[in-house]
Amino acid sequence: MRFNHGVLTLITILIIGIVILNNIIALPFLLIYPLFYSRKSKTFAKILSGLLYSFLIFIFLFSAFVKLIFSSNKLLLQKSSPNKKYNIVVIDNDQGALGGNTIVELEKIYFNSIKKQRIVYIDRWGKSLEIEWIDNENVKIDENIINVNRKDKIDKRNSL
């Protein structure tokens, strides 16, 4: 199936947003994207689509370079839930001159080895957090109670 270059231009803009949010998710889009080009499009649409695809590749490579060179993650703490179905992982994300974040991820464990991760709490870089499991489904992070079944995310980076 081939798409018109106008449609591909809109898809490119969408993929640029995905690249900015997460490089790994965008990689398959970058690899299969050229397969959908149509040969029966106007020259202007082909040029615009090609320029946007080139810009997309540049953004992908630049963001991957910045993340690899200027960012480092260090595991600070890992605590399992009382029933061992969940882990809370505290990560120190150092971004050099940009500062960084203290990230708390919730890992759901399947078959004792497969982990599904999601961020549940973000704070300023270097912040020490007090973490305690209340029961099998609730964890207390600095006076904030997070239920593992809800998709809540607490962001304290901009609070005083």
Side-chain angles (χ1 to χ4, degrees):
M1 175 164 55
R2 303 278 182 185
F3 291 110
N4 183 320
H5 281 274
V7 173
L8 287 176
T9 301
L10 294 174
I11 292 171
T12 304
I13 293 170
L14 177 69
I15 295 174
I16 288 172
I18 294 171
V19 166
I20 291 170
L21 294 174
N22 191 334
N23 286 26
I24 295 172
I25 293 174
L27 185 60
F29 291 114
L30 293 175
L31 298 176
I32 65 169
Y33 183 81
L35 300 176
F36 296 110
Y37 275 107
S38 173
R39 301 203 195 311
K40 297 178 182 178
S41 294
K42 296 181 181 175
T43 306
F44 176 75
K46 287 181 182 179
I47 291 171
L48 180 63
S49 183
L51 285 174
L52 276 174
Y53 183 69
S54 300
F55 180 69
L56 175 65
I57 296 291
F58 173 76
I59 293 290
F60 176 79
L61 293 174
F62 180 75
S63 63
F65 173 76
V66 167
K67 287 180 182 178
L68 286 174
I69 301 300
F70 297 111
S71 179
S72 68
N73 289 336
K74 185 171 98 175
L75 180 68
L76 296 178
L77 176 71
Q78 186 169 358
K79 283 191 174 184
S80 295
S81 65
N83 63 359
K84 306 291 187 215
K85 290 186 178 180
Y86 297 95
N87 281 337
I88 283 289
V89 179
V90 181
I91 299 169
D92 181 41
N93 176 252
D94 184 2
Q95 298 175 4
L98 298 175
N101 300 310
T102 300
I103 300 170
V104 179
E105 289 182 344
L106 175 70
E107 295 179 339
K108 185 168 183 174
I109 303 169
Y110 299 98
F111 307 113
N112 292 327
S113 62
I114 302 171
K115 297 177 183 177
K116 180 181 176 187
Q117 300 174 329
R118 69 179 171 91
I119 296 174
V120 293
Y121 187 92
I122 301 175
D123 210 332
R124 292 180 304 255
W125 179 65
K127 173 89 166 138
S128 63
L129 302 173
E130 292 183 26
I131 296 178
E132 171 186 351
W133 281 96
I134 298 172
D135 55 31
N136 290 332
E137 295 182 349
N138 293 298
V139 62
K140 183 177 177 184
I141 304 172
D142 276 355
E143 306 303 323
N144 297 295
I145 296 175
I146 297 173
N147 186 303
V148 297
N149 296 318
R150 294 194 333 227
K151 302 291 182 200
D152 297 340
K153 179 167 78 170
I154 299 172
D155 191 343
K156 297 279 189 161
R157 290 177 288 189
N158 296 327
S159 64
L160 296 173

mmCIF file of all heavy atoms in Angstrom, residues 53-93:
data_model
loop_
_atom_site.group_PDB
_atom_site.id
_atom_site.type_symbol
_atom_site.label_atom_id
_atom_site.label_comp_id
_atom_site.label_asym_id
_atom_site.label_seq_id
_atom_site.Cartn_x
_atom_site.Cartn_y
_atom_site.Cartn_z
ATOM 1 N N TYR A 53 11.404 14.109 6.066
ATOM 2 C CA TYR A 53 12.010 12.829 6.445
ATOM 3 C C TYR A 53 13.482 13.030 6.821
ATOM 4 O O TYR A 53 13.961 12.462 7.798
ATOM 5 C CB TYR A 53 11.871 11.809 5.313
ATOM 6 C CG TYR A 53 12.404 10.452 5.683
ATOM 7 C CD1 TYR A 53 11.754 9.681 6.634
ATOM 8 C CD2 TYR A 53 13.543 9.944 5.090
ATOM 9 C CE1 TYR A 53 12.226 8.433 6.981
ATOM 10 C CE2 TYR A 53 14.032 8.701 5.430
ATOM 11 C CZ TYR A 53 13.369 7.948 6.379
ATOM 12 O OH TYR A 53 13.851 6.718 6.735
ATOM 13 N N SER A 54 14.194 13.870 6.073
ATOM 14 C CA SER A 54 15.592 14.176 6.408
ATOM 15 C C SER A 54 15.680 14.856 7.767
ATOM 16 O O SER A 54 16.561 14.550 8.573
ATOM 17 C CB SER A 54 16.210 15.077 5.333
ATOM 18 O OG SER A 54 16.170 14.445 4.091
ATOM 19 N N PHE A 55 14.761 15.796 8.024
ATOM 20 C CA PHE A 55 14.726 16.467 9.320
ATOM 21 C C PHE A 55 14.422 15.470 10.435
ATOM 22 O O PHE A 55 15.010 15.526 11.515
ATOM 23 C CB PHE A 55 13.681 17.587 9.296
ATOM 24 C CG PHE A 55 13.560 18.339 10.580
ATOM 25 C CD1 PHE A 55 14.589 19.166 11.015
ATOM 26 C CD2 PHE A 55 12.425 18.220 11.367
ATOM 27 C CE1 PHE A 55 14.482 19.854 12.211
ATOM 28 C CE2 PHE A 55 12.306 18.909 12.551
ATOM 29 C CZ PHE A 55 13.344 19.731 12.979
ATOM 30 N N LEU A 56 13.536 14.531 10.165
ATOM 31 C CA LEU A 56 13.189 13.490 11.131
ATOM 32 C C LEU A 56 14.420 12.643 11.476
ATOM 33 O O LEU A 56 14.690 12.369 12.650
ATOM 34 C CB LEU A 56 12.080 12.610 10.562
ATOM 35 C CG LEU A 56 11.652 11.397 11.360
ATOM 36 C CD1 LEU A 56 11.031 11.829 12.673
ATOM 37 C CD2 LEU A 56 10.672 10.573 10.568
ATOM 38 N N ILE A 57 15.178 12.242 10.480
ATOM 39 C CA ILE A 57 16.401 11.466 10.720
ATOM 40 C C ILE A 57 17.391 12.289 11.537
ATOM 41 O O ILE A 57 18.019 11.786 12.477
ATOM 42 C CB ILE A 57 17.032 11.021 9.383
ATOM 43 C CG1 ILE A 57 16.108 10.065 8.642
ATOM 44 C CG2 ILE A 57 18.402 10.408 9.587
ATOM 45 C CD1 ILE A 57 15.939 8.716 9.285
ATOM 46 N N PHE A 58 17.540 13.576 11.219
ATOM 47 C CA PHE A 58 18.447 14.448 11.965
ATOM 48 C C PHE A 58 18.022 14.547 13.433
ATOM 49 O O PHE A 58 18.856 14.418 14.333
ATOM 50 C CB PHE A 58 18.499 15.844 11.336
ATOM 51 C CG PHE A 58 19.271 16.831 12.154
ATOM 52 C CD1 PHE A 58 20.652 16.802 12.172
ATOM 53 C CD2 PHE A 58 18.610 17.778 12.934
ATOM 54 C CE1 PHE A 58 21.373 17.704 12.942
ATOM 55 C CE2 PHE A 58 19.316 18.677 13.709
ATOM 56 C CZ PHE A 58 20.704 18.644 13.709
ATOM 57 N N ILE A 59 16.736 14.776 13.694
ATOM 58 C CA ILE A 59 16.236 14.874 15.071
ATOM 59 C C ILE A 59 16.484 13.570 15.817
ATOM 60 O O ILE A 59 16.908 13.572 16.974
ATOM 61 C CB ILE A 59 14.724 15.218 15.086
ATOM 62 C CG1 ILE A 59 14.494 16.621 14.562
ATOM 63 C CG2 ILE A 59 14.115 15.062 16.463
ATOM 64 C CD1 ILE A 59 14.975 17.713 15.485
ATOM 65 N N PHE A 60 16.231 12.433 15.165
ATOM 66 C CA PHE A 60 16.461 11.134 15.785
ATOM 67 C C PHE A 60 17.924 10.958 16.164
ATOM 68 O O PHE A 60 18.251 10.600 17.297
ATOM 69 C CB PHE A 60 16.017 10.013 14.840
ATOM 70 C CG PHE A 60 16.310 8.639 15.364
ATOM 71 C CD1 PHE A 60 15.491 8.064 16.316
ATOM 72 C CD2 PHE A 60 17.410 7.931 14.923
ATOM 73 C CE1 PHE A 60 15.753 6.802 16.816
ATOM 74 C CE2 PHE A 60 17.690 6.667 15.410
ATOM 75 C CZ PHE A 60 16.855 6.102 16.357
ATOM 76 N N LEU A 61 18.825 11.217 15.235
ATOM 77 C CA LEU A 61 20.257 11.040 15.503
ATOM 78 C C LEU A 61 20.756 12.028 16.562
ATOM 79 O O LEU A 61 21.536 11.666 17.445
ATOM 80 C CB LEU A 61 21.061 11.186 14.212
ATOM 81 C CG LEU A 61 20.833 10.092 13.164
ATOM 82 C CD1 LEU A 61 21.572 10.426 11.877
ATOM 83 C CD2 LEU A 61 21.251 8.743 13.702
ATOM 84 N N PHE A 62 20.293 13.278 16.490
ATOM 85 C CA PHE A 62 20.715 14.277 17.459
ATOM 86 C C PHE A 62 20.242 13.923 18.867
ATOM 87 O O PHE A 62 21.018 13.981 19.824
ATOM 88 C CB PHE A 62 20.192 15.663 17.062
ATOM 89 C CG PHE A 62 20.583 16.744 18.021
ATOM 90 C CD1 PHE A 62 21.874 17.237 18.034
ATOM 91 C CD2 PHE A 62 19.659 17.257 18.924
ATOM 92 C CE1 PHE A 62 22.242 18.228 18.925
ATOM 93 C CE2 PHE A 62 20.016 18.241 19.823
ATOM 94 C CZ PHE A 62 21.317 18.733 19.820
ATOM 95 N N SER A 63 18.983 13.530 19.000
ATOM 96 C CA SER A 63 18.468 13.199 20.338
ATOM 97 C C SER A 63 19.135 11.930 20.879
ATOM 98 O O SER A 63 19.417 11.839 22.075
ATOM 99 C CB SER A 63 16.957 13.078 20.344
ATOM 100 O OG SER A 63 16.540 12.025 19.517
ATOM 101 N N ALA A 64 19.409 10.960 20.017
ATOM 102 C CA ALA A 64 20.113 9.756 20.463
ATOM 103 C C ALA A 64 21.525 10.106 20.919
ATOM 104 O O ALA A 64 22.004 9.606 21.947
ATOM 105 C CB ALA A 64 20.158 8.725 19.344
ATOM 106 N N PHE A 65 22.209 10.980 20.182
ATOM 107 C CA PHE A 65 23.555 11.417 20.550
ATOM 108 C C PHE A 65 23.555 12.131 21.901
ATOM 109 O O PHE A 65 24.381 11.841 22.768
ATOM 110 C CB PHE A 65 24.113 12.340 19.464
ATOM 111 C CG PHE A 65 25.419 12.983 19.822
ATOM 112 C CD1 PHE A 65 26.601 12.260 19.774
ATOM 113 C CD2 PHE A 65 25.468 14.317 20.214
ATOM 114 C CE1 PHE A 65 27.803 12.854 20.112
ATOM 115 C CE2 PHE A 65 26.659 14.916 20.546
ATOM 116 C CZ PHE A 65 27.837 14.189 20.486
ATOM 117 N N VAL A 66 22.621 13.040 22.092
ATOM 118 C CA VAL A 66 22.555 13.798 23.350
ATOM 119 C C VAL A 66 22.279 12.857 24.523
ATOM 120 O O VAL A 66 22.906 12.968 25.578
ATOM 121 C CB VAL A 66 21.478 14.907 23.260
ATOM 122 C CG1 VAL A 66 21.171 15.496 24.618
ATOM 123 C CG2 VAL A 66 21.942 15.993 22.314
ATOM 124 N N LYS A 67 21.357 11.921 24.343
ATOM 125 C CA LYS A 67 21.045 10.992 25.435
ATOM 126 C C LYS A 67 22.211 10.081 25.757
ATOM 127 O O LYS A 67 22.443 9.750 26.917
ATOM 128 C CB LYS A 67 19.803 10.169 25.091
ATOM 129 C CG LYS A 67 18.534 10.984 25.161
ATOM 130 C CD LYS A 67 17.333 10.159 24.810
ATOM 131 C CE LYS A 67 16.083 11.027 24.844
ATOM 132 N NZ LYS A 67 14.889 10.285 24.466
ATOM 133 N N LEU A 68 22.949 9.652 24.751
ATOM 134 C CA LEU A 68 24.081 8.751 24.990
ATOM 135 C C LEU A 68 25.269 9.470 25.620
ATOM 136 O O LEU A 68 25.941 8.930 26.496
ATOM 137 C CB LEU A 68 24.514 8.087 23.681
ATOM 138 C CG LEU A 68 23.593 7.003 23.151
ATOM 139 C CD1 LEU A 68 24.069 6.539 21.782
ATOM 140 C CD2 LEU A 68 23.529 5.834 24.102
ATOM 141 N N ILE A 69 25.551 10.672 25.172
ATOM 142 C CA ILE A 69 26.751 11.378 25.614
ATOM 143 C C ILE A 69 26.533 12.145 26.915
ATOM 144 O O ILE A 69 27.366 12.117 27.816
ATOM 145 C CB ILE A 69 27.242 12.338 24.502
ATOM 146 C CG1 ILE A 69 27.556 11.566 23.228
ATOM 147 C CG2 ILE A 69 28.445 13.140 24.968
ATOM 148 C CD1 ILE A 69 28.626 10.507 23.368
ATOM 149 N N PHE A 70 25.426 12.838 27.035
ATOM 150 C CA PHE A 70 25.251 13.773 28.135
ATOM 151 C C PHE A 70 24.375 13.276 29.279
ATOM 152 O O PHE A 70 24.162 13.996 30.236
ATOM 153 C CB PHE A 70 24.681 15.093 27.619
ATOM 154 C CG PHE A 70 25.597 15.783 26.665
ATOM 155 C CD1 PHE A 70 25.276 15.879 25.335
ATOM 156 C CD2 PHE A 70 26.799 16.304 27.096
ATOM 157 C CE1 PHE A 70 26.125 16.514 24.449
ATOM 158 C CE2 PHE A 70 27.652 16.936 26.215
ATOM 159 C CZ PHE A 70 27.320 17.038 24.879
ATOM 160 N N SER A 71 23.850 12.089 29.193
ATOM 161 C CA SER A 71 22.962 11.610 30.238
ATOM 162 C C SER A 71 23.461 10.275 30.774
ATOM 163 O O SER A 71 23.937 9.432 30.030
ATOM 164 C CB SER A 71 21.551 11.433 29.663
ATOM 165 O OG SER A 71 20.671 10.948 30.638
ATOM 166 N N SER A 72 23.372 10.124 32.095
ATOM 167 C CA SER A 72 23.733 8.834 32.685
ATOM 168 C C SER A 72 22.738 8.516 33.800
ATOM 169 O O SER A 72 22.293 9.392 34.523
ATOM 170 C CB SER A 72 25.157 8.864 33.232
ATOM 171 O OG SER A 72 25.250 9.718 34.342
ATOM 172 N N ASN A 73 22.401 7.249 33.894
ATOM 173 C CA ASN A 73 21.472 6.783 34.923
ATOM 174 C C ASN A 73 22.220 5.932 35.924
ATOM 175 O O ASN A 73 23.049 5.101 35.553
ATOM 176 C CB ASN A 73 20.343 5.957 34.308
ATOM 177 C CG ASN A 73 19.378 6.800 33.510
ATOM 178 O OD1 ASN A 73 19.247 7.989 33.738
ATOM 179 N ND2 ASN A 73 18.700 6.188 32.566
ATOM 180 N N LYS A 74 21.903 6.151 37.196
ATOM 181 C CA LYS A 74 22.505 5.361 38.265
ATOM 182 C C LYS A 74 21.389 4.831 39.153
ATOM 183 O O LYS A 74 20.525 5.585 39.601
ATOM 184 C CB LYS A 74 23.464 6.245 39.068
ATOM 185 C CG LYS A 74 24.243 5.492 40.126
ATOM 186 C CD LYS A 74 25.330 6.375 40.717
ATOM 187 C CE LYS A 74 24.845 6.952 42.009
ATOM 188 N NZ LYS A 74 25.850 7.728 42.722
ATOM 189 N N LEU A 75 21.402 3.534 39.395
ATOM 190 C CA LEU A 75 20.406 2.909 40.247
ATOM 191 C C LEU A 75 20.711 3.248 41.703
ATOM 192 O O LEU A 75 21.794 2.957 42.196
ATOM 193 C CB LEU A 75 20.408 1.396 40.035
ATOM 194 C CG LEU A 75 19.422 0.594 40.865
ATOM 195 C CD1 LEU A 75 17.999 0.892 40.442
ATOM 196 C CD2 LEU A 75 19.720 -0.884 40.721
ATOM 197 N N LEU A 76 19.754 3.886 42.374
ATOM 198 C CA LEU A 76 19.953 4.267 43.767
ATOM 199 C C LEU A 76 19.339 3.277 44.745
ATOM 200 O O LEU A 76 19.913 3.001 45.792
ATOM 201 C CB LEU A 76 19.350 5.659 44.032
ATOM 202 C CG LEU A 76 19.970 6.829 43.288
ATOM 203 C CD1 LEU A 76 19.228 8.116 43.637
ATOM 204 C CD2 LEU A 76 21.443 6.964 43.622
ATOM 205 N N LEU A 77 18.165 2.753 44.404
ATOM 206 C CA LEU A 77 17.432 1.910 45.343
ATOM 207 C C LEU A 77 16.470 1.013 44.581
ATOM 208 O O LEU A 77 15.923 1.404 43.550
ATOM 209 C CB LEU A 77 16.639 2.804 46.313
ATOM 210 C CG LEU A 77 15.720 2.139 47.321
ATOM 211 C CD1 LEU A 77 16.541 1.421 48.386
ATOM 212 C CD2 LEU A 77 14.826 3.171 47.969
ATOM 213 N N GLN A 78 16.272 -0.185 45.099
ATOM 214 C CA GLN A 78 15.287 -1.096 44.540
ATOM 215 C C GLN A 78 14.607 -1.819 45.691
ATOM 216 O O GLN A 78 15.265 -2.443 46.512
ATOM 217 C CB GLN A 78 15.957 -2.094 43.599
ATOM 218 C CG GLN A 78 14.998 -2.971 42.877
ATOM 219 C CD GLN A 78 15.672 -3.768 41.765
ATOM 220 O OE1 GLN A 78 16.852 -3.626 41.512
ATOM 221 N NE2 GLN A 78 14.897 -4.600 41.116
ATOM 222 N N LYS A 79 13.274 -1.703 45.762
ATOM 223 C CA LYS A 79 12.500 -2.351 46.820
ATOM 224 C C LYS A 79 11.376 -3.157 46.207
ATOM 225 O O LYS A 79 10.639 -2.668 45.359
ATOM 226 C CB LYS A 79 11.895 -1.316 47.780
ATOM 227 C CG LYS A 79 12.861 -0.744 48.762
ATOM 228 C CD LYS A 79 12.120 0.058 49.813
ATOM 229 C CE LYS A 79 13.091 0.511 50.886
ATOM 230 N NZ LYS A 79 12.410 1.210 51.968
ATOM 231 N N SER A 80 11.216 -4.391 46.669
ATOM 232 C CA SER A 80 10.145 -5.262 46.192
ATOM 233 C C SER A 80 8.915 -5.108 47.071
ATOM 234 O O SER A 80 9.017 -4.840 48.260
ATOM 235 C CB SER A 80 10.592 -6.718 46.218
ATOM 236 O OG SER A 80 11.642 -6.917 45.319
ATOM 237 N N SER A 81 7.751 -5.324 46.458
ATOM 238 C CA SER A 81 6.507 -5.307 47.223
ATOM 239 C C SER A 81 6.471 -6.541 48.123
ATOM 240 O O SER A 81 7.193 -7.511 47.880
ATOM 241 C CB SER A 81 5.312 -5.292 46.275
ATOM 242 O OG SER A 81 5.258 -6.482 45.534
ATOM 243 N N PRO A 82 5.627 -6.529 49.152
ATOM 244 C CA PRO A 82 5.561 -7.690 50.046
ATOM 245 C C PRO A 82 5.235 -9.010 49.332
ATOM 246 O O PRO A 82 5.736 -10.056 49.712
ATOM 247 C CB PRO A 82 4.444 -7.319 51.034
ATOM 248 C CG PRO A 82 4.429 -5.828 51.040
ATOM 249 C CD PRO A 82 4.804 -5.410 49.649
ATOM 250 N N ASN A 83 4.428 -8.966 48.256
ATOM 251 C CA ASN A 83 4.106 -10.201 47.535
ATOM 252 C C ASN A 83 5.061 -10.477 46.374
ATOM 253 O O ASN A 83 4.860 -11.407 45.605
ATOM 254 C CB ASN A 83 2.666 -10.175 47.040
ATOM 255 C CG ASN A 83 2.403 -9.073 46.038
ATOM 256 O OD1 ASN A 83 3.275 -8.281 45.698
ATOM 257 N ND2 ASN A 83 1.175 -9.013 45.565
ATOM 258 N N LYS A 84 6.075 -9.630 46.191
ATOM 259 C CA LYS A 84 7.131 -9.781 45.161
ATOM 260 C C LYS A 84 6.616 -9.673 43.725
ATOM 261 O O LYS A 84 7.287 -10.094 42.806
ATOM 262 C CB LYS A 84 7.880 -11.118 45.320
ATOM 263 C CG LYS A 84 8.443 -11.365 46.685
ATOM 264 C CD LYS A 84 9.579 -10.438 46.992
ATOM 265 C CE LYS A 84 10.219 -10.849 48.304
ATOM 266 N NZ LYS A 84 10.684 -9.753 49.071
ATOM 267 N N LYS A 85 5.442 -9.073 43.529
ATOM 268 C CA LYS A 85 4.919 -8.900 42.176
ATOM 269 C C LYS A 85 5.350 -7.570 41.560
ATOM 270 O O LYS A 85 5.252 -7.385 40.355
ATOM 271 C CB LYS A 85 3.394 -8.984 42.169
ATOM 272 C CG LYS A 85 2.869 -10.374 42.435
ATOM 273 C CD LYS A 85 1.371 -10.415 42.281
ATOM 274 C CE LYS A 85 0.852 -11.827 42.510
ATOM 275 N NZ LYS A 85 -0.601 -11.902 42.357
ATOM 276 N N TYR A 86 5.809 -6.646 42.393
ATOM 277 C CA TYR A 86 6.207 -5.321 41.931
ATOM 278 C C TYR A 86 7.550 -4.942 42.536
ATOM 279 O O TYR A 86 7.899 -5.374 43.635
ATOM 280 C CB TYR A 86 5.179 -4.257 42.341
ATOM 281 C CG TYR A 86 3.819 -4.448 41.732
ATOM 282 C CD1 TYR A 86 2.816 -5.119 42.430
ATOM 283 C CD2 TYR A 86 3.531 -3.963 40.470
ATOM 284 C CE1 TYR A 86 1.560 -5.291 41.874
ATOM 285 C CE2 TYR A 86 2.275 -4.138 39.905
ATOM 286 C CZ TYR A 86 1.302 -4.799 40.612
ATOM 287 O OH TYR A 86 0.063 -4.967 40.065
ATOM 288 N N ASN A 87 8.290 -4.112 41.807
ATOM 289 C CA ASN A 87 9.506 -3.487 42.317
ATOM 290 C C ASN A 87 9.368 -1.990 42.163
ATOM 291 O O ASN A 87 8.824 -1.507 41.171
ATOM 292 C CB ASN A 87 10.744 -3.921 41.525
ATOM 293 C CG ASN A 87 11.247 -5.277 41.899
ATOM 294 O OD1 ASN A 87 10.990 -5.765 42.996
ATOM 295 N ND2 ASN A 87 11.963 -5.904 40.991
ATOM 296 N N ILE A 88 9.898 -1.274 43.125
ATOM 297 C CA ILE A 88 10.057 0.168 42.995
ATOM 298 C C ILE A 88 11.545 0.409 42.802
ATOM 299 O O ILE A 88 12.368 -0.069 43.577
ATOM 300 C CB ILE A 88 9.549 0.910 44.254
ATOM 301 C CG1 ILE A 88 8.026 0.970 44.252
ATOM 302 C CG2 ILE A 88 10.117 2.304 44.354
ATOM 303 C CD1 ILE A 88 7.430 1.905 43.214
ATOM 304 N N VAL A 89 11.884 1.128 41.726
ATOM 305 C CA VAL A 89 13.279 1.379 41.393
ATOM 306 C C VAL A 89 13.495 2.891 41.374
ATOM 307 O O VAL A 89 12.771 3.619 40.690
ATOM 308 C CB VAL A 89 13.630 0.773 40.011
ATOM 309 C CG1 VAL A 89 15.067 1.059 39.645
ATOM 310 C CG2 VAL A 89 13.353 -0.716 39.997
ATOM 311 N N VAL A 90 14.494 3.365 42.133
ATOM 312 C CA VAL A 90 14.835 4.784 42.153
ATOM 313 C C VAL A 90 16.090 4.973 41.309
ATOM 314 O O VAL A 90 17.112 4.324 41.545
ATOM 315 C CB VAL A 90 15.072 5.292 43.590
ATOM 316 C CG1 VAL A 90 15.411 6.768 43.577
ATOM 317 C CG2 VAL A 90 13.851 5.034 44.455
ATOM 318 N N ILE A 91 15.997 5.864 40.323
ATOM 319 C CA ILE A 91 17.086 6.103 39.383
ATOM 320 C C ILE A 91 17.504 7.565 39.471
ATOM 321 O O ILE A 91 16.672 8.469 39.461
ATOM 322 C CB ILE A 91 16.639 5.777 37.945
ATOM 323 C CG1 ILE A 91 16.253 4.307 37.849
ATOM 324 C CG2 ILE A 91 17.720 6.126 36.938
ATOM 325 C CD1 ILE A 91 15.555 3.940 36.572
ATOM 326 N N ASP A 92 18.813 7.785 39.525
ATOM 327 C CA ASP A 92 19.382 9.125 39.483
ATOM 328 C C ASP A 92 19.769 9.400 38.038
ATOM 329 O O ASP A 92 20.707 8.795 37.520
ATOM 330 C CB ASP A 92 20.605 9.195 40.403
ATOM 331 C CG ASP A 92 21.224 10.565 40.428
ATOM 332 O OD1 ASP A 92 20.481 11.553 40.465
ATOM 333 O OD2 ASP A 92 22.475 10.649 40.419
ATOM 334 N N ASN A 93 19.034 10.280 37.363
ATOM 335 C CA ASN A 93 19.269 10.614 35.965
ATOM 336 C C ASN A 93 20.064 11.910 35.901
ATOM 337 O O ASN A 93 19.509 12.984 36.033
ATOM 338 C CB ASN A 93 17.930 10.736 35.234
ATOM 339 C CG ASN A 93 18.089 11.178 33.803
ATOM 340 O OD1 ASN A 93 17.763 12.306 33.473
ATOM 341 N ND2 ASN A 93 18.569 10.301 32.962
#
